[in-house]
Amino acid sequence: GGKFFVGGNWKCNGTTEEVKKIVATLNDGKVPSGDVVEVVVSPPFVFLSLVQSLLRNDFQVAAQNCWVKKSGAFTGEVSAEMLVNLGIPWVIIGHSERRSLLGESNEFVGDKVAYAVSQGLKVIACVGETLEQREAGSTVDVVAAQTKAIADRISDWKNVVIAYEPVWAIGTGKVATPAQAQEVHSELRKWLNANVSAEVAESTRIIYGGSVNGANSKELAGQPDVDGFLVGGASLKPEFLDIINSAT
Ligand code: 13P
């Protein structure tokens, strides 16, 4: 996989004051250089410009979602073009909270990834199974179907990072074991190898998300197919710096 990637998904959290505090903490942190780790933080839309203006310039920003049309009568949506216009380089697409709470299907997520990529955005595309699906033994089938809906719609993977986020591990404190994460990451890489290309399988970063913290990130980062993290709760705290430092 490529350069280690650490994303911080702030979800629907923060006030202007809190955002300024988080950014100040990140700006003061000691982390490996930009050729060792790529760091991307994702505040809510309303704080994107503020964070971008204050954040150290070796870190980047991501939106948490975007729309599939340039502009028009789509109340409440923000287009990929608008993000590009603001100079926002990254977007998270298909987070499990949007899939489950807002009904985003595999196909719609695939359409969004393809549209965002076509506009020049870099995409963190999220996949992951529920506890029920894991217990039914369908984890690999579920993440393969989610990945296929993306693969069917894009040909260039160079601006795509896959985030494997088992739903049962998100916000629960129940982190996947390093072996569980490694197994699914390896299956995803095999799927890319068989269905896209050996080159894409080799170069695409597959990052893990779900209850990652400063205490468990090092061991997870040591797994051969874990190319980084997408961090929720801990990305709002100073320990996000420890997670970034687990890259080395
Ligand atoms: P937590 O790290 O809070 O479990 O959230 C993970 C996540 O959903 C990141 O996108």
Side-chain angles (χ1 to χ4, degrees):
K3 195 194 296 181
F4 203 80
F5 184 102
V6 180
N9 176 9
W10 296 1
K11 308 191 181 187
C12 186
N13 289 295
T15 61
T16 301
E17 288 319 303
E18 287 165 353
V19 162
K20 285 181 178 167
K21 248 175 127 171
I22 295 168
V23 171
T25 301
L26 295 181
N27 287 353
D28 284 344
K30 212 171 133 23
V31 299
S33 82
D35 10 294
V36 175
V37 60
E38 185 165 15
V39 180
V40 177
V41 300
S42 188
F45 282 123
V46 291
F47 299 126
L48 274 172
S49 290
L50 175 66
V51 172
Q52 199 177 32
S53 70
L54 298 176
L55 190 66
R56 56 196 290 169
N57 54 24
D58 55 336
F59 289 6
Q60 304 168 79
V61 292
Q64 296 175 14
N65 178 38
C66 69
W67 186 237
V68 289
K69 293 273 166 55
K70 177 182 173 152
S71 59
F74 308 108
T75 302
E77 292 299 328
V78 171
S79 71
E81 285 85 342
M82 291 168 186
L83 299 177
V84 171
N85 181 245
L86 287 185
I88 307 298
W90 286 91
V91 63
I92 298 170
I93 301 281
H95 191 277
S96 72
E97 286 145 20
R98 297 199 62 85
R99 292 177 184 265
S100 66
L101 301 171
L102 294 145
E104 293 193 4
S105 66
N106 289 356
E107 293 69 28
F108 187 44
V109 169
D111 287 345
K112 285 190 173 192
V113 171
Y115 193 83
V117 165
S118 78
Q119 295 309 309
L121 289 169
K122 298 181 186 193
V123 173
I124 303 161
C126 304
V127 301
E129 83 288 0
T130 62
L131 183 59
E132 197 181 10
Q133 290 165 331
R134 172 162 285 258
E135 285 174 346
S138 53
T139 297
V140 175
D141 291 343
V142 168
V143 298
Q146 291 168 335
T147 307
K148 182 178 189 300
I150 296 165
D152 285 348
R153 291 165 173 81
I154 65 169
S155 52
D156 187 353
W157 283 75
K158 82 172 183 307
N159 287 337
V160 178
V161 170
I162 298 175
Y164 168 58
E165 302 203 295
V167 176
W168 48 270
I170 295 177
T172 58
K174 277 172 106 181
V175 64
T177 64
Q180 283 174 323
Q182 169 57 26
E183 187 189 3
V184 179
H185 285 226
S186 155
E187 291 292 339
L188 278 166
R189 214 177 290 287
K190 277 191 220 157
W191 190 92
L192 291 173
N193 185 61
N195 297 281
V196 183
S197 72
E199 200 275 321
V200 166
E202 150 91 35
S203 60
T204 301
R205 289 172 290 181
I206 304 175
I207 65 176
Y208 170 79
S211 297
V212 175
N213 62 35
N216 60 30
S217 58
K218 193 76 200 175
E219 201 187 347
L220 286 160
Q223 300 301 306
D225 288 299
V226 174
D227 302 317
F229 300 116
L230 188 56
V231 183
S235 73
L236 299 162
K237 303 180 191 158
E239 83 184 89
F240 188 58
L241 290 162
D242 300 330
I243 299 169
I244 296 168
N245 280 303
S246 69
T248 53

